[in-house]
Amino acid sequence: METKYIVSALKYRPDSFASMVGQEALSATLKSSIVQQKTAHAYLFCGPRGVGKTSCARIFARAINCLERLPDGEACGRCESCKAFDEQRSMNIYELDAASNNSVDDIRLLIEQANVPPQIGKYKIYIIDEVHMLSQQAFNAFLKTLEEPPSYVIFILATTEKHKILPTILSRCQIFDFKRIPPARIEQHLRYVADSEGIKAEAEALAIIATKADGGMRDALSLFDRIARFSEGNITYANTIENLNILDYDYYFRLTDFFLQGDYRSVLIVLDELLAKGFDGQVIVSGLASFFRDLMMAQDASTLPLLEQSEVVIQRYVDMAARCPTSFLYQSLKILNACDQQYRQSNGKRLLLELSLMNIAALFSKGLTAPPPTHGAQHANPVVSGSVSPRPAPAKEQPSVAPSQSSVPPQPSIGEQRRQPETTAPTITEDKPEQTKVVPPTRPMATSTVGSEGRFTLRGIRNKQEQLQNNIQEVRTMRSSCNWLGSNLPKRSSRRRFT
């Protein structure tokens, strides 16, 4: 007869407090309450999915009703109450799925059953799973019984969404918050399952599964079964990556090597490989940012426990962190954070991603100081910026009539020129040592805005503007004077005298 296959999540489900993985503090508290016989009338187990809330509720209920309990608070597993529970025929422990039985009538039926004393054991225990799915009317009907139940009734509520439960319910329960299981503990349990099933598994493959499970043991065991069937009993790192199609840390180690070398071309090749495999750009950015964050944590022994990685991978992080300066990791995180914020609104998502990765590679690039000059730049006017000085122009002989801009004094306005007598002395310039040239006195002219090198100068433009303002002011003065004279002249009569 063919044996029925049982998945690992059910086959290796914990059945005692000692088999609970990652919840040692809660297990010790519950066992202590059983040993001291100080159990409350209502408990609330809350936490993420797959961390053992319902399993712990079953273990707790079984230990409370055990007739031959062990000294440490564990159930014996041999008494009639334990056997009835294991065979799913116990009349003292009830499980209610609030997701499908969430009406007020279901709660009223539960309250009626609670009034009947237990037949075997001391307590009647009700485990209500997914209690946050109860309706508002069901919660209100449950309040009074939950606050003052019969002395032999214990309620154990379990939920993944504590914030959806009414505060009046929370205040009537002892709350136990279950935490996510560390990847290292999940990896150890997967190793135990693999050895029990006779499956070969590489340590790095189990580390990938533990990280992918995100703190849930049920998810980890489901992934383990899936990959074990795919690899036919030989779980390798390559098979795990291929089957799960996940972006593992190996890609990030490769990218960091290229970043430290300033090799942006290899970075773009790896990026194209990831995009071709169907990974979203924002997943790549967020994963790389988390990787750099872990590298910063691995640089110091005090922050090393903050790494949520398995023991196999932590040493690789430590070795890579020793090669990365803290300033490089900090600047890279700023670039990736800016890319992550702009990714959704960007029209060119791939270009934004490529530019961000090239900016990270440029932090260690040696040849990126200034862009090379463009074609024909030697004919353009040089721009003075920083310590770069323009190339001096070749000296040319300038005519004496047009002096350089730096030697021209500021010119007076037209009104001042009229009041000043023309007593300008003749200017003598020496073009050659043996000849002299007399320049006749000329009327002062407006300063040209064109400099000696054929370029417009700021001083010439300013003088031109001052001259225009003076001309406009003089015209306005003359106009007002003409208006005043016209208004003060005697008016001549239009009538003619006849003699």
Side-chain angles (χ1 to χ4, degrees), residues 22 30 77 84 88 91 105 120 133 222 230 234 241 248-249 307 340 389 466:
L30 294 175
Q88 298 182 0
M91 301 300 295
D105 295 332
I120 301 177
M133 299 293 291
S222 299
F230 174 78
N234 186 16
I241 294 299
D248 68 312
Y249 49 80
L307 283 179
D340 188 33
S389 60
E466 292 178 357

Side-chain angles (χ1 to χ4, degrees), residues 190-248:
L190 292 179
R191 173 59 63 188
Y192 164 76
V193 174
D195 294 340
S196 302
E197 296 292 329
I199 298 175
K200 296 181 180 179
E202 294 181 357
E204 291 188 354
L206 296 181
I208 289 293
I209 298 174
T211 305
K212 181 68 175 178
D214 193 23
M217 184 62 72
R218 183 173 60 235
D219 294 348
L221 292 172
S222 299
L223 292 175
F224 177 83
D225 289 343
R226 169 183 164 185
I227 299 172
R229 303 288 81 79
F230 174 78
S231 59
E232 297 180 356
N234 186 16
I235 301 177
T236 62
Y237 177 80
N239 290 338
T240 304
I241 294 299
E242 181 181 359
N243 184 264
L244 297 180
N245 192 30
I246 61 176
L247 188 58
D248 68 312

Side-chain angles (χ1 to χ4, degrees), residues 119-365:
Q119 301 299 321
I120 301 177
K122 295 182 178 180
Y123 295 96
K124 215 171 188 181
I125 303 171
Y126 292 89
I127 301 174
I128 305 178
D129 200 5
E130 304 296 336
V131 69
H132 65 274
M133 299 293 291
L134 290 177
S135 63
Q136 184 75 22
Q137 294 78 7
F139 271 127
N140 294 332
F142 191 41
L143 281 177
K144 188 62 178 177
T145 304
L146 186 64
E147 183 179 8
E148 297 178 358
S151 59
Y152 50 82
V153 173
I154 296 177
F155 292 103
I156 303 177
L157 315 180
T159 180
T160 56
E161 301 183 25
K162 175 183 173 182
H163 60 279
K164 290 186 177 181
I165 301 178
L166 296 178
T168 51
I169 297 291
L170 296 177
S171 63
R172 288 167 168 80
C173 302
Q174 283 191 9
I175 302 175
F176 288 80
D177 291 310
F178 286 68
K179 62 181 180 180
R180 296 183 183 274
I181 304 175
R185 299 298 307 277
I186 295 179
E187 184 182 350
Q188 293 176 2
H189 189 69
L190 292 179
R191 173 59 63 188
Y192 164 76
V193 174
D195 294 340
S196 302
E197 296 292 329
I199 298 175
K200 296 181 180 179
E202 294 181 357
E204 291 188 354
L206 296 181
I208 289 293
I209 298 174
T211 305
K212 181 68 175 178
D214 193 23
M217 184 62 72
R218 183 173 60 235
D219 294 348
L221 292 172
S222 299
L223 292 175
F224 177 83
D225 289 343
R226 169 183 164 185
I227 299 172
R229 303 288 81 79
F230 174 78
S231 59
E232 297 180 356
N234 186 16
I235 301 177
T236 62
Y237 177 80
N239 290 338
T240 304
I241 294 299
E242 181 181 359
N243 184 264
L244 297 180
N245 192 30
I246 61 176
L247 188 58
D248 68 312
Y249 49 80
D250 187 56
Y251 288 106
Y252 298 138
F253 279 110
R254 290 171 55 192
L255 286 174
T256 306
D257 284 331
F258 295 139
F259 287 148
L260 297 179
Q261 299 171 11
D263 188 2
Y264 67 91
R265 294 180 177 86
S266 299
V267 170
L268 296 181
I269 292 174
V270 175
L271 175 62
D272 183 73
E273 178 184 349
L274 295 177
L275 294 176
K277 290 185 176 181
F279 294 109
D280 184 69
Q282 199 161 19
V283 174
I284 298 174
V285 171
S286 59
L288 188 58
S290 299
F291 178 76
F292 284 151
R293 176 261 180 194
D294 291 343
L295 287 180
M296 293 187 70
M297 299 300 104
Q299 286 184 335
D300 191 88
S302 61
T303 56
L304 192 60
L306 298 178
L307 283 179
E308 296 181 356
Q309 299 291 341
S310 61
E311 296 178 358
V312 180
V313 186
I314 286 179
Q315 187 59 40
R316 292 188 62 183
Y317 275 86
V318 173
D319 296 339
M320 179 59 73
R323 299 172 50 194
C324 300
T326 306
S327 58
F328 164 72
L329 297 176
Y330 177 72
Q331 294 295 333
S332 300
L333 284 172
K334 290 180 62 177
I335 294 173
L336 292 173
N337 184 46
C339 178
D340 188 33
Q341 294 176 354
Q342 302 172 8
Y343 189 82
R344 292 186 180 274
Q345 291 78 20
S346 175
N347 293 326
K349 300 183 183 300
R350 175 160 184 164
L351 179 60
L352 175 64
L353 185 57
E354 291 175 345
L355 287 175
S356 299
L357 297 184
M358 285 191 291
N359 285 337
I360 298 176
L363 296 176
F364 270 86
S365 181

